[in-house]
């Protein structure tokens, strides 16, 4: 049986912001159909690594190959890359002057060349998937934070991506709204969507992710099966980090996952 190539390969990736070295030789692979959670303290480089995967940041060393596209090639077609790789941000990035339906159909029509009928049917399909069928004609200001993030996920799905990247998708939400977004991610994981999730939701990472990457000071300090890494951390640094995150989660109360 033929084995599918990795969805993402990154080898000795380096990224600097001026004199600040943010990524210091980060290497790894994301397999097709795999869910990988990237965890670590603020400033460790996890969001920067994610942004490198879809060309929002250029790297200063190493190599990244996504869906067979070498991101270091001078002739790289960013539209081709971003059609195959969807990204969901912390702050939703919805167009406030457009309805939910218009937000979802814009890129498929402009980038993929879909007809208005096809893009509208697809938008309704994915709105139903995230539980927001009744919000098609609403505007972003009429939605809660959790609803906005679910719309943002549906918008990414409308592009039929092969990989979805999530940059702390629940960090700007009130605690009681976190669960509804995590349930959508859980459903996508069960359907086999390839996902890389930068998250501070440790319980979600343990229950949903196949693997965890723990970044510390711009390097992969520990990685492996999610339950194993989170339940039995090998390094004192990861134990300290998890202890701090668990204490923070307890102070906020449980999130439904």
């Amino acid at each position: 049986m033929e084995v599918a190539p990795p969805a993402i390969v990154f080898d000795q990736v380096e990224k600097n912001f001026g004199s600040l070295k943010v990524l210091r030789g980060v290497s790894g692979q994301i397999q097709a159909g795999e869910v990988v959670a990237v965890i670590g303290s603020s400033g460790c480089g996890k969001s920067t690594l994610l942004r490198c995967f879809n060309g929002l940041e250029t790297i200063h060393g190493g190599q990244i190959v996504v869906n067979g596209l070498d991101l270091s090639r001078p002739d790289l077609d960013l539209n081709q890359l971003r059609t195959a790789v969807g990204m969901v941000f912390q702050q939703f990035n919805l167009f406030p002057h457009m309805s939910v339906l218009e937000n979802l159909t814009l890129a498929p029509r402009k980038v993929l060349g879909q007809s208005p009928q096809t893009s509208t049917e697809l938008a309704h399909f994915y709105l139903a998937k995230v539980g927001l069928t009744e919000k098609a004609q609403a505007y972003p200001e009429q939605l809660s934070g959790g609803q906005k993030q679910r719309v943002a996920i549906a918008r990414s799905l409308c592009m039929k991506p092969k990989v979805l990247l999530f940059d702390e998708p629940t960090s700007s939400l009130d605690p009681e709204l976190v669960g509804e977004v995590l349930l959508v991610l859980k459903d996508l994981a069960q359907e086999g969507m390839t996902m890389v999730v930068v998250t501070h939701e440790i319980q979600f990472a343990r229950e949903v992710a196949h693997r965890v990457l723990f970044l510390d000071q711009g390097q992969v300090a520990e990685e492996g099966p999610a339950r194993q890494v989170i339940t039995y951390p090998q390094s004192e640094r990861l134990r300290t980090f998890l202890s701090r995150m668990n204490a923070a989660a307890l102070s906020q109360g449980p999130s439904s996952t």
Side-chain angles (χ1 to χ4, degrees):
M1 184 175 178
E2 187 175 346
V3 179
I8 303 176
V9 178
F10 47 108
D11 184 42
Q12 294 298 312
V13 172
E14 297 180 0
K15 173 65 183 179
N16 308 322
F17 289 113
S19 60
L20 178 63
K21 294 184 179 296
V22 180
L23 299 176
R24 304 167 178 260
V26 177
S27 299
Q29 295 185 355
I30 312 295
Q31 303 300 324
E34 188 176 34
V35 180
V36 175
V38 184
I39 63 174
S41 300
S42 177
C44 71
K46 55 189 187 295
S47 291
T48 299
L49 179 64
L50 201 72
R51 291 170 65 87
C52 290
F53 287 163
N54 76 339
L56 285 173
E57 299 287 354
T58 56
I59 61 176
H60 296 113
Q63 184 183 41
I64 299 176
V65 178
V66 180
N67 290 322
L69 296 173
D70 186 340
L71 273 57
S72 61
R73 287 178 61 94
D75 59 348
L76 174 68
D77 184 341
L78 282 175
N79 280 336
Q80 183 182 4
L81 172 67
R82 290 173 186 163
T83 298
V85 182
M87 186 154 181
V88 178
F89 299 89
Q90 297 178 36
Q91 299 297 333
F92 327 127
N93 290 3
L94 300 175
F95 294 112
H97 62 290
M98 292 183 176
S99 69
V100 165
L101 187 62
E102 290 168 334
N103 266 281
L104 266 62
T105 58
L106 180 64
R109 287 191 292 107
K110 297 293 187 182
V111 179
L112 301 182
Q114 288 181 358
S115 68
Q117 179 180 347
T118 298
S119 63
T120 298
E121 289 174 354
L122 201 62
H124 282 296
F125 174 81
Y126 284 115
L127 280 176
K129 182 176 283 292
V130 300
L132 292 174
T133 300
E134 75 285 359
K135 298 296 184 181
Q137 300 304 325
Y139 284 81
E141 66 178 10
Q142 299 171 308
L143 305 177
S144 69
Q147 290 171 336
K148 289 177 185 176
Q149 193 60 291
R150 284 189 281 157
V151 169
I153 294 170
R155 179 177 60 180
S156 288
L157 289 170
C158 282
M159 293 295 287
K160 293 297 193 78
K162 295 180 179 178
V163 177
L164 270 179
L165 309 176
F166 294 87
D167 187 7
E168 301 208 34
T170 61
S171 66
S172 62
L173 302 180
D174 292 333
E176 65 268 22
L177 300 178
V178 169
E180 64 189 57
V181 174
L182 295 183
L183 281 174
V184 173
L185 269 65
K186 205 170 188 178
D187 288 344
L188 291 173
Q190 291 172 346
E191 292 172 8
M193 172 63 74
T194 306
M195 298 192 291
V196 185
V197 187
V198 169
T199 184
H200 60 278
E201 297 287 343
I202 302 303
Q203 181 181 346
F204 168 80
R206 176 170 44 220
E207 298 299 325
V208 179
H210 299 104
R211 283 192 301 123
V212 163
L213 299 182
F214 172 57
L215 264 61
D216 186 38
Q217 298 182 349
Q219 296 179 310
V220 177
E222 203 164 327
E223 66 95 15
R227 288 176 180 266
Q228 177 181 317
V229 169
I230 292 172
T231 307
Y232 305 106
Q234 298 300 300
S235 66
E236 182 60 36
R237 182 70 191 89
L238 179 52
R239 283 192 287 271
T240 300
F241 170 77
L242 292 173
S243 176
R244 190 168 70 246
M245 296 304 294
N246 288 335
L250 287 172
S251 69
Q252 291 183 343
S255 298
S256 174
T257 57

